[in-house]
Amino acid sequence: IFYQIFYRRVSLYEKKLLLKNIFVSIICQYNLPIMKELLYLKDEQLKGFVEKLFMGYRETFADAKKILDKHSIGIAHHKVIHLLSIYEGITVSELMKKLKVTKQSLNRILKDLIKLEVISFEKDKKDSRLKHVFLNEKGKQLFNEIFSVQKKRIYRAFLNSKSEEVLFFDNVLKKIINE
C-alpha cells in the first residue's frame, strides 16, 4: 500500500482514499472503540452535538442578556461590541464580512451604538473612504461588564476539563467555523 501511495502515480483522491483505508484498518485491528464510534457517527449523535451547540450558545448569551437589556440592546449589538474589542479599529466593510450581514443591518446597529455613545469612528489616513470603528472608554466598560459575566461560565467549564479536552474543543470549534 505504501508503494502505491509514494511511488506509483496516483491521484490525490486515490492517495487520500488509501490513507483513509489504512487508518480504518488500524483502528479496527487494534479495536479502538472511541475512534470507531467517531468514524460512524449516526444522525442522532450529530443532532445531539448540534443541540449542545444551541444550548451552549443559549446559556452563554443568556448570562449577558440582563446587561444587554439594561442598555436596551440585543445580541447583534453584543456581537459588534465583542468584535470591536478584539479587532480595534476594524473597518466597517471588514466588520460586515466578519458578521456576514448587510451594510443596512450593520448601519442600524452602529447607529444604536452611537446613540449609546460607546463607539467612535476615524477616517483612514491613506484612504478617506474607509472608516475605522473603535470602542471608546464607555464602550470598553460595557464590553468588560458583559464579558465578565460570560467568562465565568466558560472559565468554570474549562476548569472542570482536562487541558487536552480544552485544546480538542478549540480545534473542533475552529473546524466547525472553517477557520
Side-chain angles (χ1 to χ4, degrees):
I1 291 175
F2 289 108
Y3 171 80
Q4 290 178 329
I5 294 172
F6 296 108
Y7 297 108
R8 206 174 125 230
R9 290 184 183 250
V10 293
S11 70
L12 184 60
Y13 171 77
E14 290 174 308
K15 287 180 183 179
K16 285 182 179 179
L17 190 62
L18 284 168
L19 287 172
K20 181 181 175 187
N21 287 337
I22 291 169
F23 181 68
V24 170
S25 68
I26 290 170
I27 287 169
C28 293
Q29 179 183 359
Y30 293 103
N31 197 17
L32 302 173
I34 295 170
M35 290 305 290
K36 264 188 188 177
E37 283 181 34
L38 289 177
L39 287 174
Y40 305 106
L41 283 174
K42 305 283 187 251
D43 281 354
E44 292 306 313
Q45 290 169 302
L46 291 172
K47 286 178 188 176
F49 286 131
V50 171
E51 179 188 9
K52 286 179 181 83
L53 285 172
F54 282 144
M55 300 305 159
Y57 176 86
R58 181 194 69 199
E59 295 304 316
T60 303
F61 286 91
D63 294 340
K65 186 78 171 108
K66 292 174 190 153
I67 297 165
L68 297 172
D69 288 345
K70 182 174 79 175
H71 295 279
S72 302
I73 57 176
I75 298 293
H77 300 84
H78 178 216
K79 289 176 183 178
V80 170
I81 290 169
H82 188 82
L83 288 176
L84 292 178
S85 76
I86 298 170
Y87 304 102
E88 195 172 316
I90 190 171
T91 64
V92 173
S93 59
E94 289 170 338
L95 193 54
M96 277 174 33
K97 288 176 191 170
K98 288 206 174 287
L99 292 168
K100 294 186 179 180
V101 296
T102 64
K103 191 172 186 175
Q104 183 180 5
S105 297
L106 182 58
N107 280 334
R108 183 188 60 78
I109 295 163
L110 292 175
K111 282 180 184 178
D112 292 342
L113 295 175
I114 290 168
K115 285 179 190 173
L116 277 176
E117 299 176 346
V118 295
I119 61 170
S120 61
F121 295 93
E122 285 182 22
K123 286 195 176 197
D124 191 89
K125 290 178 176 95
K126 293 178 184 172
D127 186 349
S128 61
R129 295 171 297 174
L130 296 176
K131 285 197 299 189
H132 297 274
V133 191
F134 296 87
L135 287 176
N136 58 25
E137 281 308 309
K138 188 176 175 183
K140 289 175 184 175
Q141 288 173 352
L142 177 58
F143 168 76
N144 287 330
E145 186 181 354
I146 296 167
F147 183 63
S148 67
V149 172
Q150 285 186 308
K151 77 178 177 183
K152 287 177 186 171
R153 176 180 298 278
I154 295 170
Y155 191 66
R156 264 194 321 267
F158 285 164
L159 277 177
N160 292 317
S161 303
K162 296 176 186 165
S163 57
E164 304 87 42
E165 291 173 323
V166 173
L167 294 174
F168 291 147
F169 176 72
D170 184 52
N171 287 335
V172 171
L173 284 177
K174 284 178 183 174
K175 290 174 184 168
I176 289 172
I177 60 174
N178 297 320
E179 194 175 274

